[in-house]
Amino acid sequence: MVKNEEAKIESSMKLRNITKEEFVNAITKDKADGFAKTFVAKADAFDLWDRCIGAFIEDQLAGAIIISVSKRNPITANLQLLHTFAAHRKKGVAKQLCLNGLDFAVSQNCEYFRVSSEPESVEFYKRIGFTFLGKQKSGCQLSIFRITGNRFEDGNYNITDEGIRKAVYR
């Protein structure tokens, strides 16, 4: 997809809270939507549906994200779940949802933003500006930064930062 076309789609994208039913109704039989079932199971298990934000393109649910905020200091935003439906991949949906998640983190006075990514998703996160700091026991890659701006690449990923160091060596 050409950058101008992607920018046009991103600017017309509408974001809003969605329900479990809306998410489930958007799941297709496409193999690329396989993670959507995991998304539902995890959102159910941790009772996260009230935090689910969906991205719509022409009234069609294109993707969803769930960001949680820690109750302890330092306040950290955690990207819990992210899914782009198969028909809407490579249109900037996940990027817009992540940027909205960062805006939300800033609005909640979060000091840090954290992502624990499955290996197959790491390249996507790197493309939109994340830096990864290492592999966790689960096999996932960890990215955590002190929020210093409204873009992922603006974050402070310095391992000498106490909050980052604790997260990396936990």
Side-chain angles (χ1 to χ4, degrees), residues 5-93:
E5 201 173 328
E6 185 177 311
K8 183 179 173 186
I9 289 171
E10 287 176 7
S11 69
S12 67
M13 204 177 302
K14 305 284 188 253
L15 302 179
R16 69 167 172 80
N17 286 78
I18 62 166
T19 64
K20 174 184 176 179
E21 182 179 28
E22 287 176 294
F23 186 89
V24 169
N25 288 339
I27 299 172
T28 69
K29 292 180 180 175
D30 190 306
K31 188 177 180 182
D33 277 345
F35 178 74
K37 293 174 185 167
T38 302
F39 187 111
V40 171
K42 287 185 177 183
D44 282 348
F46 297 103
D47 195 24
L48 298 171
W49 287 107
D50 63 325
R51 298 182 189 126
C52 190
I53 302 294
F56 289 82
I57 298 174
E58 297 178 4
D59 297 326
Q60 197 174 46
L61 182 60
I65 192 169
I66 296 177
I67 303 284
S68 66
V69 175
S70 67
K71 291 180 172 71
R72 291 188 219 145
N73 284 325
I75 302 173
T76 302
N78 290 287
L79 193 160
Q80 296 288 344
L81 295 164
L82 175 66
H83 181 69
T84 301
F85 292 100
H88 298 286
R89 300 250 165 114
K90 306 287 186 203
K91 296 180 181 179
V93 173

Side-chain angles (χ1 to χ4, degrees), residues 3 6 79 82 94-96 98-99 102 113-115 117 121-133 142-158:
K3 286 289 180 192
E6 185 177 311
L79 193 160
L82 175 66
K95 178 182 175 183
Q96 285 305 116
C98 287
L99 287 168
L102 181 56
F113 195 95
R114 181 182 184 280
V115 175
S117 173
S121 301
V122 169
E123 285 310 310
F124 158 73
Y125 288 113
K126 284 182 176 180
R127 270 196 316 275
I128 66 170
F130 283 89
T131 297
F132 283 84
L133 303 172
L142 175 67
S143 178
I144 183 169
F145 61 90
R146 181 178 288 277
I147 300 171
T148 58
N150 62 353
R151 299 178 322 156
F152 304 112
E153 58 267 31
D154 294 338
N156 175 359
Y157 293 86
N158 191 329

